[in-house]
Amino acid sequence: YSPLPAVEREESLMQSICRLDALVNNGFTQKSLEDKFLEGSYQVVHIASHGQFRRNLEDTYLLTYDDNFNLNELENMIRPSMFRDSPVELLTMSACQTAVGDDRAALGLAGVAIKAGARSALASLWYVSDEATAELIKQFYDNYVNLNMSKTRALREAQINLKADVRFLYDRYWAPYILVGNWL
């Protein structure tokens, strides 16, 4: 997999908006992610890593620093939060094609996140620009957290703002993201 150099910038931009309990680079392991979910509850989970959806579900995963995180593991991690006071309200998977699926799971990893108990998922339909994603994600979270917009409006406004930037004028930069599940 190619590196995602803008992930650190994405994390830094998000850190300026809200307090993060971040697992970055070699800290983003399967065990550390599972441990975080066992230790506490998270209303917003943001994963900026490669993911792959395949017809064979055993070949479908999110990439961690040390391993692949498969769909069953994702579901086992998220599902218990449904029964806590604060379930996962939003799971964002900001890397390439995390919303691409097939006839077995139409919404890819995002659909699996919803099935596992996340109330909504933000994911991408095609290969995305790392730099454009950092900008869009920053604007999305600023709208959602600081301006208290609904998730749909926050995404829409972030896309409009990104499109207004001459560097990201074309739809390949601002249009790949979709929101699945609870849009409020």
Side-chain angles (χ1 to χ4, degrees), residues 27-61:
F28 182 60
T29 64
Q30 182 174 349
K31 178 156 179 27
S32 64
L33 188 59
E34 290 170 347
D35 288 348
K36 286 290 180 190
F37 265 86
L38 288 173
E39 291 169 6
S41 59
Y42 297 93
Q43 290 187 305
V44 176
V45 177
H46 182 95
I47 299 175
S49 181
H50 292 288
Q52 184 65 56
F53 189 89
R54 300 273 189 212
R55 181 177 268 312
N56 183 353
L57 294 182
E58 288 78 37
D59 296 332
T60 300
Y61 58 86

PDB file of all heavy atoms in Angstrom, residues 27-61:
ATOM      1  N   GLY A  27       1.395   3.290  16.485  1.00  0.00           N
ATOM      2  CA  GLY A  27       0.476   3.135  17.608  1.00  0.00           C
ATOM      3  C   GLY A  27      -0.888   2.602  17.184  1.00  0.00           C
ATOM      4  O   GLY A  27      -1.685   2.183  18.015  1.00  0.00           O
ATOM      5  N   PHE A  28      -1.147   2.607  15.873  1.00  0.00           N
ATOM      6  CA  PHE A  28      -2.426   2.133  15.348  1.00  0.00           C
ATOM      7  C   PHE A  28      -2.308   0.640  15.022  1.00  0.00           C
ATOM      8  O   PHE A  28      -2.123   0.236  13.888  1.00  0.00           O
ATOM      9  CB  PHE A  28      -2.836   2.928  14.111  1.00  0.00           C
ATOM     10  CG  PHE A  28      -4.165   2.519  13.536  1.00  0.00           C
ATOM     11  CD1 PHE A  28      -5.321   2.606  14.281  1.00  0.00           C
ATOM     12  CD2 PHE A  28      -4.240   2.036  12.242  1.00  0.00           C
ATOM     13  CE1 PHE A  28      -6.548   2.218  13.746  1.00  0.00           C
ATOM     14  CE2 PHE A  28      -5.466   1.643  11.695  1.00  0.00           C
ATOM     15  CZ  PHE A  28      -6.615   1.733  12.450  1.00  0.00           C
ATOM     16  N   THR A  29      -2.368  -0.162  16.061  1.00  0.00           N
ATOM     17  CA  THR A  29      -2.308  -1.615  15.893  1.00  0.00           C
ATOM     18  C   THR A  29      -3.680  -2.199  16.197  1.00  0.00           C
ATOM     19  O   THR A  29      -4.521  -1.546  16.810  1.00  0.00           O
ATOM     20  CB  THR A  29      -1.280  -2.247  16.851  1.00  0.00           C
ATOM     21  OG1 THR A  29      -1.711  -2.024  18.199  1.00  0.00           O
ATOM     22  CG2 THR A  29       0.126  -1.678  16.632  1.00  0.00           C
ATOM     23  N   GLN A  30      -3.855  -3.422  15.790  1.00  0.00           N
ATOM     24  CA  GLN A  30      -5.123  -4.096  16.051  1.00  0.00           C
ATOM     25  C   GLN A  30      -5.372  -4.173  17.553  1.00  0.00           C
ATOM     26  O   GLN A  30      -6.457  -3.849  18.023  1.00  0.00           O
ATOM     27  CB  GLN A  30      -5.100  -5.489  15.429  1.00  0.00           C
ATOM     28  CG  GLN A  30      -6.387  -6.240  15.621  1.00  0.00           C
ATOM     29  CD  GLN A  30      -6.399  -7.552  14.871  1.00  0.00           C
ATOM     30  OE1 GLN A  30      -5.547  -7.818  14.051  1.00  0.00           O
ATOM     31  NE2 GLN A  30      -7.378  -8.375  15.161  1.00  0.00           N
ATOM     32  N   LYS A  31      -4.365  -4.550  18.311  1.00  0.00           N
ATOM     33  CA  LYS A  31      -4.527  -4.680  19.757  1.00  0.00           C
ATOM     34  C   LYS A  31      -4.817  -3.335  20.422  1.00  0.00           C
ATOM     35  O   LYS A  31      -5.703  -3.243  21.274  1.00  0.00           O
ATOM     36  CB  LYS A  31      -3.286  -5.304  20.393  1.00  0.00           C
ATOM     37  CG  LYS A  31      -3.403  -5.414  21.907  1.00  0.00           C
ATOM     38  CD  LYS A  31      -2.548  -6.479  22.484  1.00  0.00           C
ATOM     39  CE  LYS A  31      -2.613  -6.600  23.987  1.00  0.00           C
ATOM     40  NZ  LYS A  31      -3.782  -6.195  24.678  1.00  0.00           N
ATOM     41  N   SER A  32      -4.100  -2.285  20.027  1.00  0.00           N
ATOM     42  CA  SER A  32      -4.334  -0.978  20.657  1.00  0.00           C
ATOM     43  C   SER A  32      -5.732  -0.465  20.344  1.00  0.00           C
ATOM     44  O   SER A  32      -6.385   0.145  21.201  1.00  0.00           O
ATOM     45  CB  SER A  32      -3.266   0.037  20.240  1.00  0.00           C
ATOM     46  OG  SER A  32      -3.324   0.287  18.864  1.00  0.00           O
ATOM     47  N   LEU A  33      -6.230  -0.717  19.146  1.00  0.00           N
ATOM     48  CA  LEU A  33      -7.582  -0.307  18.787  1.00  0.00           C
ATOM     49  C   LEU A  33      -8.619  -1.077  19.608  1.00  0.00           C
ATOM     50  O   LEU A  33      -9.551  -0.491  20.169  1.00  0.00           O
ATOM     51  CB  LEU A  33      -7.810  -0.514  17.291  1.00  0.00           C
ATOM     52  CG  LEU A  33      -9.095   0.034  16.701  1.00  0.00           C
ATOM     53  CD1 LEU A  33      -9.212   1.533  16.917  1.00  0.00           C
ATOM     54  CD2 LEU A  33      -9.166  -0.288  15.211  1.00  0.00           C
ATOM     55  N   GLU A  34      -8.440  -2.383  19.705  1.00  0.00           N
ATOM     56  CA  GLU A  34      -9.355  -3.191  20.517  1.00  0.00           C
ATOM     57  C   GLU A  34      -9.305  -2.766  21.983  1.00  0.00           C
ATOM     58  O   GLU A  34     -10.339  -2.666  22.638  1.00  0.00           O
ATOM     59  CB  GLU A  34      -9.006  -4.667  20.380  1.00  0.00           C
ATOM     60  CG  GLU A  34      -9.339  -5.234  19.020  1.00  0.00           C
ATOM     61  CD  GLU A  34      -8.779  -6.636  18.781  1.00  0.00           C
ATOM     62  OE1 GLU A  34      -7.915  -7.105  19.567  1.00  0.00           O
ATOM     63  OE2 GLU A  34      -9.195  -7.265  17.796  1.00  0.00           O
ATOM     64  N   ASP A  35      -8.090  -2.496  22.497  1.00  0.00           N
ATOM     65  CA  ASP A  35      -7.942  -2.069  23.891  1.00  0.00           C
ATOM     66  C   ASP A  35      -8.663  -0.754  24.151  1.00  0.00           C
ATOM     67  O   ASP A  35      -9.298  -0.579  25.194  1.00  0.00           O
ATOM     68  CB  ASP A  35      -6.461  -1.931  24.267  1.00  0.00           C
ATOM     69  CG  ASP A  35      -5.764  -3.286  24.397  1.00  0.00           C
ATOM     70  OD1 ASP A  35      -6.459  -4.328  24.430  1.00  0.00           O
ATOM     71  OD2 ASP A  35      -4.518  -3.279  24.453  1.00  0.00           O
ATOM     72  N   LYS A  36      -8.569   0.193  23.215  1.00  0.00           N
ATOM     73  CA  LYS A  36      -9.255   1.481  23.380  1.00  0.00           C
ATOM     74  C   LYS A  36     -10.757   1.276  23.514  1.00  0.00           C
ATOM     75  O   LYS A  36     -11.409   1.917  24.330  1.00  0.00           O
ATOM     76  CB  LYS A  36      -8.965   2.419  22.199  1.00  0.00           C
ATOM     77  CG  LYS A  36      -7.592   2.995  22.217  1.00  0.00           C
ATOM     78  CD  LYS A  36      -7.449   3.993  23.330  1.00  0.00           C
ATOM     79  CE  LYS A  36      -6.057   4.572  23.341  1.00  0.00           C
ATOM     80  NZ  LYS A  36      -5.803   5.358  24.533  1.00  0.00           N
ATOM     81  N   PHE A  37     -11.303   0.379  22.705  1.00  0.00           N
ATOM     82  CA  PHE A  37     -12.743   0.131  22.780  1.00  0.00           C
ATOM     83  C   PHE A  37     -13.134  -0.593  24.056  1.00  0.00           C
ATOM     84  O   PHE A  37     -14.230  -0.388  24.571  1.00  0.00           O
ATOM     85  CB  PHE A  37     -13.222  -0.643  21.545  1.00  0.00           C
ATOM     86  CG  PHE A  37     -13.756   0.259  20.484  1.00  0.00           C
ATOM     87  CD1 PHE A  37     -12.901   0.835  19.572  1.00  0.00           C
ATOM     88  CD2 PHE A  37     -15.098   0.559  20.419  1.00  0.00           C
ATOM     89  CE1 PHE A  37     -13.377   1.693  18.605  1.00  0.00           C
ATOM     90  CE2 PHE A  37     -15.589   1.425  19.454  1.00  0.00           C
ATOM     91  CZ  PHE A  37     -14.726   1.990  18.544  1.00  0.00           C
ATOM     92  N   LEU A  38     -12.254  -1.419  24.584  1.00  0.00           N
ATOM     93  CA  LEU A  38     -12.549  -2.092  25.845  1.00  0.00           C
ATOM     94  C   LEU A  38     -12.465  -1.119  27.024  1.00  0.00           C
ATOM     95  O   LEU A  38     -13.212  -1.240  27.983  1.00  0.00           O
ATOM     96  CB  LEU A  38     -11.576  -3.258  26.066  1.00  0.00           C
ATOM     97  CG  LEU A  38     -11.784  -4.467  25.167  1.00  0.00           C
ATOM     98  CD1 LEU A  38     -10.664  -5.485  25.367  1.00  0.00           C
ATOM     99  CD2 LEU A  38     -13.142  -5.112  25.416  1.00  0.00           C
ATOM    100  N   GLU A  39     -11.548  -0.143  26.937  1.00  0.00           N
ATOM    101  CA  GLU A  39     -11.330   0.817  28.019  1.00  0.00           C
ATOM    102  C   GLU A  39     -12.434   1.852  28.141  1.00  0.00           C
ATOM    103  O   GLU A  39     -12.742   2.310  29.236  1.00  0.00           O
ATOM    104  CB  GLU A  39     -10.009   1.574  27.805  1.00  0.00           C
ATOM    105  CG  GLU A  39      -8.786   0.732  27.969  1.00  0.00           C
ATOM    106  CD  GLU A  39      -7.526   1.456  27.489  1.00  0.00           C
ATOM    107  OE1 GLU A  39      -7.604   2.657  27.143  1.00  0.00           O
ATOM    108  OE2 GLU A  39      -6.483   0.807  27.444  1.00  0.00           O
ATOM    109  N   GLY A  40     -12.981   2.279  27.028  1.00  0.00           N
ATOM    110  CA  GLY A  40     -13.938   3.370  27.106  1.00  0.00           C
ATOM    111  C   GLY A  40     -14.914   3.368  25.960  1.00  0.00           C
ATOM    112  O   GLY A  40     -14.895   2.501  25.099  1.00  0.00           O
ATOM    113  N   SER A  41     -15.774   4.375  25.973  1.00  0.00           N
ATOM    114  CA  SER A  41     -16.756   4.497  24.904  1.00  0.00           C
ATOM    115  C   SER A  41     -16.396   5.711  24.052  1.00  0.00           C
ATOM    116  O   SER A  41     -15.917   6.728  24.558  1.00  0.00           O
ATOM    117  CB  SER A  41     -18.164   4.641  25.475  1.00  0.00           C
ATOM    118  OG  SER A  41     -18.239   5.777  26.299  1.00  0.00           O
ATOM    119  N   TYR A  42     -16.628   5.582  22.775  1.00  0.00           N
ATOM    120  CA  TYR A  42     -16.308   6.625  21.820  1.00  0.00           C
ATOM    121  C   TYR A  42     -17.521   6.887  20.952  1.00  0.00           C
ATOM    122  O   TYR A  42     -18.055   5.973  20.335  1.00  0.00           O
ATOM    123  CB  TYR A  42     -15.116   6.212  20.941  1.00  0.00           C
ATOM    124  CG  TYR A  42     -13.865   6.028  21.750  1.00  0.00           C
ATOM    125  CD1 TYR A  42     -13.514   4.781  22.245  1.00  0.00           C
ATOM    126  CD2 TYR A  42     -13.059   7.119  22.051  1.00  0.00           C
ATOM    127  CE1 TYR A  42     -12.379   4.623  23.016  1.00  0.00           C
ATOM    128  CE2 TYR A  42     -11.923   6.964  22.813  1.00  0.00           C
ATOM    129  CZ  TYR A  42     -11.586   5.712  23.299  1.00  0.00           C
ATOM    130  OH  TYR A  42     -10.461   5.567  24.067  1.00  0.00           O
ATOM    131  N   GLN A  43     -17.942   8.138  20.914  1.00  0.00           N
ATOM    132  CA  GLN A  43     -19.067   8.490  20.059  1.00  0.00           C
ATOM    133  C   GLN A  43     -18.622   8.694  18.621  1.00  0.00           C
ATOM    134  O   GLN A  43     -19.401   8.471  17.709  1.00  0.00           O
ATOM    135  CB  GLN A  43     -19.770   9.731  20.587  1.00  0.00           C
ATOM    136  CG  GLN A  43     -20.518   9.467  21.869  1.00  0.00           C
ATOM    137  CD  GLN A  43     -21.331  10.657  22.279  1.00  0.00           C
ATOM    138  OE1 GLN A  43     -20.806  11.761  22.422  1.00  0.00           O
ATOM    139  NE2 GLN A  43     -22.615  10.435  22.456  1.00  0.00           N
ATOM    140  N   VAL A  44     -17.398   9.154  18.436  1.00  0.00           N
ATOM    141  CA  VAL A  44     -16.852   9.362  17.103  1.00  0.00           C
ATOM    142  C   VAL A  44     -15.560   8.572  16.989  1.00  0.00           C
ATOM    143  O   VAL A  44     -14.669   8.697  17.827  1.00  0.00           O
ATOM    144  CB  VAL A  44     -16.585  10.860  16.826  1.00  0.00           C
ATOM    145  CG1 VAL A  44     -15.928  11.050  15.467  1.00  0.00           C
ATOM    146  CG2 VAL A  44     -17.875  11.663  16.919  1.00  0.00           C
ATOM    147  N   VAL A  45     -15.485   7.748  15.955  1.00  0.00           N
ATOM    148  CA  VAL A  45     -14.280   6.976  15.665  1.00  0.00           C
ATOM    149  C   VAL A  45     -13.863   7.334  14.250  1.00  0.00           C
ATOM    150  O   VAL A  45     -14.665   7.250  13.319  1.00  0.00           O
ATOM    151  CB  VAL A  45     -14.538   5.454  15.790  1.00  0.00           C
ATOM    152  CG1 VAL A  45     -13.297   4.666  15.404  1.00  0.00           C
ATOM    153  CG2 VAL A  45     -14.999   5.106  17.195  1.00  0.00           C
ATOM    154  N   HIS A  46     -12.617   7.734  14.110  1.00  0.00           N
ATOM    155  CA  HIS A  46     -12.098   8.143  12.806  1.00  0.00           C
ATOM    156  C   HIS A  46     -10.918   7.245  12.460  1.00  0.00           C
ATOM    157  O   HIS A  46      -9.938   7.188  13.201  1.00  0.00           O
ATOM    158  CB  HIS A  46     -11.650   9.603  12.857  1.00  0.00           C
ATOM    159  CG  HIS A  46     -11.154  10.109  11.554  1.00  0.00           C
ATOM    160  ND1 HIS A  46     -11.964  10.796  10.672  1.00  0.00           N
ATOM    161  CD2 HIS A  46      -9.951   9.998  10.949  1.00  0.00           C
ATOM    162  CE1 HIS A  46     -11.260  11.104   9.595  1.00  0.00           C
ATOM    163  NE2 HIS A  46     -10.042  10.623   9.741  1.00  0.00           N
ATOM    164  N   ILE A  47     -11.017   6.551  11.330  1.00  0.00           N
ATOM    165  CA  ILE A  47      -9.942   5.670  10.872  1.00  0.00           C
ATOM    166  C   ILE A  47      -9.437   6.191   9.532  1.00  0.00           C
ATOM    167  O   ILE A  47     -10.178   6.223   8.551  1.00  0.00           O
ATOM    168  CB  ILE A  47     -10.418   4.211  10.754  1.00  0.00           C
ATOM    169  CG1 ILE A  47     -10.881   3.695  12.128  1.00  0.00           C
ATOM    170  CG2 ILE A  47      -9.297   3.331  10.186  1.00  0.00           C
ATOM    171  CD1 ILE A  47     -11.487   2.318  12.113  1.00  0.00           C
ATOM    172  N   ALA A  48      -8.177   6.612   9.532  1.00  0.00           N
ATOM    173  CA  ALA A  48      -7.537   7.106   8.312  1.00  0.00           C
ATOM    174  C   ALA A  48      -6.500   6.073   7.897  1.00  0.00           C
ATOM    175  O   ALA A  48      -5.311   6.216   8.161  1.00  0.00           O
ATOM    176  CB  ALA A  48      -6.895   8.465   8.549  1.00  0.00           C
ATOM    177  N   SER A  49      -6.983   5.012   7.295  1.00  0.00           N
ATOM    178  CA  SER A  49      -6.116   3.918   6.880  1.00  0.00           C
ATOM    179  C   SER A  49      -6.705   3.261   5.643  1.00  0.00           C
ATOM    180  O   SER A  49      -7.882   3.414   5.348  1.00  0.00           O
ATOM    181  CB  SER A  49      -6.003   2.883   8.008  1.00  0.00           C
ATOM    182  OG  SER A  49      -5.144   1.843   7.627  1.00  0.00           O
ATOM    183  N   HIS A  50      -5.870   2.521   4.950  1.00  0.00           N
ATOM    184  CA  HIS A  50      -6.359   1.787   3.793  1.00  0.00           C
ATOM    185  C   HIS A  50      -7.353   0.729   4.238  1.00  0.00           C
ATOM    186  O   HIS A  50      -7.231   0.151   5.312  1.00  0.00           O
ATOM    187  CB  HIS A  50      -5.200   1.085   3.066  1.00  0.00           C
ATOM    188  CG  HIS A  50      -4.260   2.022   2.397  1.00  0.00           C
ATOM    189  ND1 HIS A  50      -4.596   2.717   1.258  1.00  0.00           N
ATOM    190  CD2 HIS A  50      -2.993   2.376   2.699  1.00  0.00           C
ATOM    191  CE1 HIS A  50      -3.569   3.453   0.889  1.00  0.00           C
ATOM    192  NE2 HIS A  50      -2.574   3.274   1.752  1.00  0.00           N
ATOM    193  N   GLY A  51      -8.315   0.484   3.394  1.00  0.00           N
ATOM    194  CA  GLY A  51      -9.272  -0.585   3.618  1.00  0.00           C
ATOM    195  C   GLY A  51      -9.514  -1.292   2.297  1.00  0.00           C
ATOM    196  O   GLY A  51      -9.299  -0.721   1.227  1.00  0.00           O
ATOM    197  N   GLN A  52      -9.953  -2.528   2.359  1.00  0.00           N
ATOM    198  CA  GLN A  52     -10.195  -3.279   1.132  1.00  0.00           C
ATOM    199  C   GLN A  52     -11.462  -4.097   1.288  1.00  0.00           C
ATOM    200  O   GLN A  52     -11.626  -4.808   2.279  1.00  0.00           O
ATOM    201  CB  GLN A  52      -9.015  -4.214   0.845  1.00  0.00           C
ATOM    202  CG  GLN A  52      -9.128  -4.955  -0.458  1.00  0.00           C
ATOM    203  CD  GLN A  52      -9.092  -4.001  -1.654  1.00  0.00           C
ATOM    204  OE1 GLN A  52      -8.156  -3.238  -1.811  1.00  0.00           O
ATOM    205  NE2 GLN A  52     -10.110  -4.037  -2.470  1.00  0.00           N
ATOM    206  N   PHE A  53     -12.358  -3.958   0.330  1.00  0.00           N
ATOM    207  CA  PHE A  53     -13.569  -4.758   0.333  1.00  0.00           C
ATOM    208  C   PHE A  53     -13.481  -5.768  -0.802  1.00  0.00           C
ATOM    209  O   PHE A  53     -13.227  -5.403  -1.942  1.00  0.00           O
ATOM    210  CB  PHE A  53     -14.820  -3.886   0.153  1.00  0.00           C
ATOM    211  CG  PHE A  53     -16.075  -4.667   0.361  1.00  0.00           C
ATOM    212  CD1 PHE A  53     -16.626  -4.775   1.617  1.00  0.00           C
ATOM    213  CD2 PHE A  53     -16.680  -5.337  -0.690  1.00  0.00           C
ATOM    214  CE1 PHE A  53     -17.774  -5.532   1.826  1.00  0.00           C
ATOM    215  CE2 PHE A  53     -17.823  -6.093  -0.493  1.00  0.00           C
ATOM    216  CZ  PHE A  53     -18.369  -6.184   0.771  1.00  0.00           C
ATOM    217  N   ARG A  54     -13.669  -7.034  -0.495  1.00  0.00           N
ATOM    218  CA  ARG A  54     -13.624  -8.119  -1.482  1.00  0.00           C
ATOM    219  C   ARG A  54     -14.881  -8.973  -1.359  1.00  0.00           C
ATOM    220  O   ARG A  54     -15.530  -9.001  -0.323  1.00  0.00           O
ATOM    221  CB  ARG A  54     -12.398  -9.017  -1.245  1.00  0.00           C
ATOM    222  CG  ARG A  54     -11.085  -8.315  -1.343  1.00  0.00           C
ATOM    223  CD  ARG A  54     -10.627  -8.299  -2.763  1.00  0.00           C
ATOM    224  NE  ARG A  54      -9.263  -7.799  -2.792  1.00  0.00           N
ATOM    225  CZ  ARG A  54      -8.757  -7.114  -3.769  1.00  0.00           C
ATOM    226  NH1 ARG A  54      -9.476  -6.828  -4.812  1.00  0.00           N
ATOM    227  NH2 ARG A  54      -7.529  -6.685  -3.727  1.00  0.00           N
ATOM    228  N   ARG A  55     -15.175  -9.679  -2.429  1.00  0.00           N
ATOM    229  CA  ARG A  55     -16.326 -10.581  -2.440  1.00  0.00           C
ATOM    230  C   ARG A  55     -16.228 -11.602  -1.310  1.00  0.00           C
ATOM    231  O   ARG A  55     -17.191 -11.890  -0.618  1.00  0.00           O
ATOM    232  CB  ARG A  55     -16.410 -11.291  -3.793  1.00  0.00           C
ATOM    233  CG  ARG A  55     -17.613 -12.221  -3.882  1.00  0.00           C
ATOM    234  CD  ARG A  55     -17.735 -12.865  -5.229  1.00  0.00           C
ATOM    235  NE  ARG A  55     -18.534 -12.230  -6.230  1.00  0.00           N
ATOM    236  CZ  ARG A  55     -19.756 -11.744  -6.113  1.00  0.00           C
ATOM    237  NH1 ARG A  55     -20.328 -11.740  -4.952  1.00  0.00           N
ATOM    238  NH2 ARG A  55     -20.403 -11.240  -7.126  1.00  0.00           N
ATOM    239  N   ASN A  56     -15.047 -12.138  -1.092  1.00  0.00           N
ATOM    240  CA  ASN A  56     -14.805 -13.067   0.000  1.00  0.00           C
ATOM    241  C   ASN A  56     -14.590 -12.237   1.269  1.00  0.00           C
ATOM    242  O   ASN A  56     -13.611 -11.496   1.375  1.00  0.00           O
ATOM    243  CB  ASN A  56     -13.568 -13.915  -0.313  1.00  0.00           C
ATOM    244  CG  ASN A  56     -13.300 -14.945   0.752  1.00  0.00           C
ATOM    245  OD1 ASN A  56     -13.947 -14.968   1.796  1.00  0.00           O
ATOM    246  ND2 ASN A  56     -12.332 -15.794   0.489  1.00  0.00           N
ATOM    247  N   LEU A  57     -15.486 -12.348   2.231  1.00  0.00           N
ATOM    248  CA  LEU A  57     -15.427 -11.500   3.419  1.00  0.00           C
ATOM    249  C   LEU A  57     -14.158 -11.676   4.231  1.00  0.00           C
ATOM    250  O   LEU A  57     -13.727 -10.764   4.927  1.00  0.00           O
ATOM    251  CB  LEU A  57     -16.656 -11.734   4.294  1.00  0.00           C
ATOM    252  CG  LEU A  57     -17.983 -11.290   3.675  1.00  0.00           C
ATOM    253  CD1 LEU A  57     -19.126 -11.524   4.638  1.00  0.00           C
ATOM    254  CD2 LEU A  57     -17.941  -9.840   3.240  1.00  0.00           C
ATOM    255  N   GLU A  58     -13.523 -12.837   4.147  1.00  0.00           N
ATOM    256  CA  GLU A  58     -12.256 -13.047   4.851  1.00  0.00           C
ATOM    257  C   GLU A  58     -11.149 -12.177   4.265  1.00  0.00           C
ATOM    258  O   GLU A  58     -10.138 -11.930   4.909  1.00  0.00           O
ATOM    259  CB  GLU A  58     -11.827 -14.517   4.817  1.00  0.00           C
ATOM    260  CG  GLU A  58     -12.667 -15.433   5.698  1.00  0.00           C
ATOM    261  CD  GLU A  58     -14.016 -15.772   5.067  1.00  0.00           C
ATOM    262  OE1 GLU A  58     -14.087 -15.944   3.831  1.00  0.00           O
ATOM    263  OE2 GLU A  58     -14.998 -15.851   5.818  1.00  0.00           O
ATOM    264  N   ASP A  59     -11.334 -11.720   3.039  1.00  0.00           N
ATOM    265  CA  ASP A  59     -10.350 -10.861   2.379  1.00  0.00           C
ATOM    266  C   ASP A  59     -10.711  -9.385   2.480  1.00  0.00           C
ATOM    267  O   ASP A  59     -10.118  -8.541   1.812  1.00  0.00           O
ATOM    268  CB  ASP A  59     -10.212 -11.246   0.899  1.00  0.00           C
ATOM    269  CG  ASP A  59      -9.678 -12.652   0.717  1.00  0.00           C
ATOM    270  OD1 ASP A  59      -8.937 -13.133   1.595  1.00  0.00           O
ATOM    271  OD2 ASP A  59     -10.012 -13.279  -0.307  1.00  0.00           O
ATOM    272  N   THR A  60     -11.696  -9.056   3.291  1.00  0.00           N
ATOM    273  CA  THR A  60     -12.137  -7.681   3.484  1.00  0.00           C
ATOM    274  C   THR A  60     -11.600  -7.194   4.821  1.00  0.00           C
ATOM    275  O   THR A  60     -11.759  -7.863   5.834  1.00  0.00           O
ATOM    276  CB  THR A  60     -13.675  -7.612   3.475  1.00  0.00           C
ATOM    277  OG1 THR A  60     -14.133  -8.091   2.208  1.00  0.00           O
ATOM    278  CG2 THR A  60     -14.171  -6.213   3.704  1.00  0.00           C
ATOM    279  N   TYR A  61     -10.940  -6.034   4.823  1.00  0.00           N
ATOM    280  CA  TYR A  61     -10.267  -5.598   6.032  1.00  0.00           C
ATOM    281  C   TYR A  61      -9.936  -4.109   6.009  1.00  0.00           C
ATOM    282  O   TYR A  61      -9.999  -3.451   4.978  1.00  0.00           O
ATOM    283  CB  TYR A  61      -8.965  -6.377   6.216  1.00  0.00           C
ATOM    284  CG  TYR A  61      -8.021  -6.230   5.035  1.00  0.00           C
ATOM    285  CD1 TYR A  61      -7.140  -5.163   4.960  1.00  0.00           C
ATOM    286  CD2 TYR A  61      -8.038  -7.144   3.985  1.00  0.00           C
ATOM    287  CE1 TYR A  61      -6.300  -5.008   3.871  1.00  0.00           C
ATOM    288  CE2 TYR A  61      -7.204  -7.002   2.905  1.00  0.00           C
ATOM    289  CZ  TYR A  61      -6.333  -5.927   2.852  1.00  0.00           C
ATOM    290  OH  TYR A  61      -5.515  -5.771   1.773  1.00  0.00           O
TER     291      TYR A  61
END
